[in-house]
Amino acid sequence: MFIDKAKIFITAGRGGDGCISFRREKFVPLGGPDGGNGGKGGDIYIETDIKKSTLLDLSYRPKFFAENGSRGESSNKFGKYGQDLVIKVPLGTLVYKNKELFADLKEEGQRVLVAKGGRGGRGNSSFKTQRHTVPRIAEKGEPGETAEIELELRLIADVGLVGFPNAGKSTFLSVVSSARPKIADYPFTTLEPNLGVVSLHDKQIVIADIPGIIEGASSGKGLGLEFLRHIKRTKVLLYMIDVSGFDGRDPYEVYKILNNELKKYSKYLSKKHMVIALNKIDAGDCEQTIKKFKKNIKNKKIFAVSNMTKEGIDKLLETISKLVELPVKEEDIKSIPVKKYIYEPDFKIDIDEDGVYVISGKKIEVLAEMTKFNEEDALRRFQNILKKMGVELALEEKGCKVGDTVRIGTFEFDFTK
């Protein structure tokens, strides 16, 4: 099954907790603290894999977790780092992180970091000072980053094959390449894009067969809209038009409808190199129809071809081969925003509907997550840091009194002085 969109939820590994330990050996008096630091949590990467062609497996497994770091141990032993997690996707995948374009993966083996693992908590040996020689303080590991990731696949091909249902696109692909798409004489035989590779003069050309476009496809009718994104990366558009009149449509009218739908969908599609193939010339006398078509359309490369007899196919491929080498305007992918530094205060205080004083801010929330509140020294350190940051004074200015409830992240405290 071809799936070209997927939404996943990722959580990087949490750092391991620091250790509280003291060296105790028979002939080593006053050994001191020797608690080691916790290991870093695993990162999460997204990487392209040439063997993959769909996002199907990700649609069945929407949640991913990297390995947590291990806790530190005595004798200053650091905890083991959590193993990184690599999520494999096909070439041509766009990565959106928290609704914003984050990466465009177009090269084989390209890898991008999407969630960073939390750092390991420090053990009590890291808190030893000349004044505080016996610290009973250790940090919990920092939580790993979480994110909502949306993946959108856009096939990487040189040529986009477009046309109405039953125009002969799938048959053309099977004739010029080793692709074996489903072929039948009823509309919408092709229900998903197919790729074919054409070898010509020691050069390989990748052709994408896009499911039939109908009038109104740009506004959501038929299958065209769902798969039109796959021709945004192509360099050449090959219009396949049935010139035999089998479907009762005038070829020129068909061309105008196709061109109009592509323009409505994206202004860049109409700027790509274009070739028109008038197909099924073997089905009857089409000379007058072809002449009329060429009279209405000027400055376009038009070929009369037959998939059954292969007439005109070689000349068509020769022209496509030359056009693929020419530059073309880039597809309309919004550029990845350049991150600019924006100053944010260390914390801010709000009062919720229950009268609870809510303190928010990344720095202060991470501090609370990494503090072991069951250790007296750790709690005292936490209070001192808040005081130095000006949190206590800011709470009093907000009207907070002794005994009022204060919330930081998932933790609640009674305000004291």
Side-chain angles (χ1 to χ4, degrees):
M1 186 183 298
F2 181 80
I3 299 294
D4 58 358
K5 280 186 175 182
K7 181 186 289 186
I8 59 175
F9 302 89
I10 59 174
T11 303
R14 184 182 185 115
D17 293 349
C19 174
I20 297 178
S21 173
F22 295 92
R23 186 178 179 186
R24 293 181 177 88
E25 296 182 37
K26 187 173 182 181
F27 299 107
V28 184
L30 306 176
D34 68 348
N37 299 343
K40 176 183 173 297
D43 298 327
I44 298 182
Y45 295 87
I46 292 180
E47 181 180 276
T48 56
D49 185 349
I50 197 169
K51 297 179 182 178
K52 287 193 171 290
S53 59
T54 176
L55 300 172
L56 176 63
D57 52 342
L58 300 183
S59 65
Y60 286 129
R61 182 191 169 190
K63 294 184 179 180
F64 292 84
F65 301 89
E67 186 180 26
N68 294 332
S70 300
R71 68 185 301 275
E73 298 181 11
S74 58
S75 301
N76 288 310
K77 293 178 182 176
F78 277 57
K80 179 184 174 183
Y81 279 27
Q83 187 173 357
D84 294 339
L85 176 65
V86 180
I87 301 172
K88 299 294 184 72
V89 297
L91 271 69
T93 300
L94 292 175
V95 181
Y96 293 87
K97 181 178 179 180
N98 298 328
K99 306 297 183 182
E100 290 187 354
L101 180 61
F102 186 77
D104 184 8
L105 307 179
K106 297 186 288 187
E107 299 175 6
E108 183 180 351
Q110 188 175 354
R111 176 184 284 197
V112 60
L113 174 66
V114 288
K116 191 174 181 181
R119 71 173 177 87
R122 290 176 290 175
N124 66 334
S125 62
S126 299
F127 292 96
K128 181 182 177 181
T129 65
Q130 288 184 336
R131 295 182 60 186
H132 197 185
T133 57
V134 191
R136 293 186 176 276
I137 303 173
E139 295 175 323
K140 294 192 292 184
E142 180 184 13
E145 187 181 358
T146 62
E148 177 184 286
I149 301 294
E150 292 180 66
L151 303 170
E152 179 183 307
L153 173 60
R154 294 187 184 178
L155 295 177
I156 294 179
D158 300 306
V159 181
L161 186 55
V162 296
F164 271 34
N166 279 19
K169 302 187 303 300
S170 297
T171 304
F172 174 80
L173 194 66
S174 67
V175 168
V176 301
S177 73
S178 59
R180 291 294 175 263
K182 185 178 180 181
I183 300 171
D185 60 354
Y186 53 87
F188 298 121
T189 306
T190 305
L191 299 178
E192 58 190 46
N194 292 303
L195 288 180
V197 180
V198 180
S199 295
L200 193 66
H201 305 314
D202 297 326
K203 181 172 63 177
Q204 289 189 328
I205 301 172
V206 181
I207 301 178
D209 171 19
I210 307 302
I213 301 170
I214 64 173
E215 189 171 6
S218 60
S219 58
K221 291 183 180 179
L223 300 175
L225 177 65
E226 187 62 26
F227 298 116
L228 277 174
R229 74 175 71 90
H230 295 293
I231 60 175
K232 285 187 174 182
R233 293 193 192 275
T234 59
K235 297 178 180 178
V236 179
L237 293 181
L238 174 56
Y239 283 45
M240 186 69 65
I241 299 175
D242 182 356
V243 76
S244 68
F246 172 78
D247 56 1
R249 288 181 180 270
D250 178 65
Y252 180 62
E253 292 299 320
V254 171
Y255 167 78
K256 289 197 298 183
I257 293 172
L258 288 173
N259 215 33
N260 188 46
E261 293 301 324
L262 294 185
K263 281 183 178 180
K264 285 181 180 179
Y265 182 73
S266 170
K267 62 181 180 181
Y268 290 95
L269 294 183
S270 62
K271 300 181 186 297
K272 293 181 182 291
H273 304 304
M274 182 193 300
V275 179
I276 302 172
L278 299 177
N279 188 29
K280 302 184 182 180
I281 59 174
D282 58 288
D285 186 11
C286 304
E287 290 185 10
Q288 293 300 322
T289 307
I290 294 172
K291 286 182 181 179
K292 181 182 176 183
F293 187 91
K294 290 182 176 180
K295 185 177 180 180
N296 288 327
I297 299 178
K298 306 292 183 181
N299 303 321
K300 299 293 182 184
K301 298 183 185 298
I302 303 172
F303 295 84
V305 302
S306 168
N307 290 331
M308 301 304 295
T309 65
K310 298 185 180 180
E311 183 180 348
I313 296 293
D314 290 341
K315 289 183 179 180
L316 174 61
L317 292 178
E318 287 285 352
T319 300
I320 290 174
S321 177
K322 294 176 183 178
L323 291 176
V324 165
E325 298 297 324
L326 299 178
V328 66
K329 193 171 181 65
E330 194 64 39
E331 69 275 1
D332 55 344
I333 297 176
K334 292 181 180 178
S335 58
I336 299 172
V338 178
K339 291 191 175 181
K340 297 180 180 179
Y341 177 77
I342 301 175
Y343 170 75
E344 293 182 1
D346 289 337
F347 65 91
K348 67 175 184 176
I349 301 174
D350 298 302
I351 305 175
D352 70 4
E353 55 187 14
D354 297 325
V356 176
Y357 292 82
V358 181
I359 306 174
S360 58
K362 183 176 180 180
K363 182 177 179 180
I364 201 167
E365 288 176 16
V366 169
L367 175 65
E369 283 283 349
M370 297 182 71
T371 298
K372 294 186 175 183
F373 292 109
N374 58 337
E375 298 289 343
E376 186 177 338
D377 285 2
L379 181 58
R380 189 180 299 111
R381 172 177 175 268
F382 178 76
Q383 290 174 325
N384 289 336
I385 292 174
L386 293 190
K387 192 170 184 178
K388 288 178 181 178
M389 290 176 65
V391 175
E392 184 178 305
L393 182 60
L395 283 170
E396 291 178 344
E397 290 176 350
K398 278 277 188 178
C400 187
K401 298 181 177 60
V402 174
D404 287 345
T405 302
V406 177
R407 183 186 302 133
I408 302 176
T410 58
F411 302 95
E412 290 191 353
F413 313 90
D414 290 333
F415 182 63
T416 58
K417 293 184 66 177

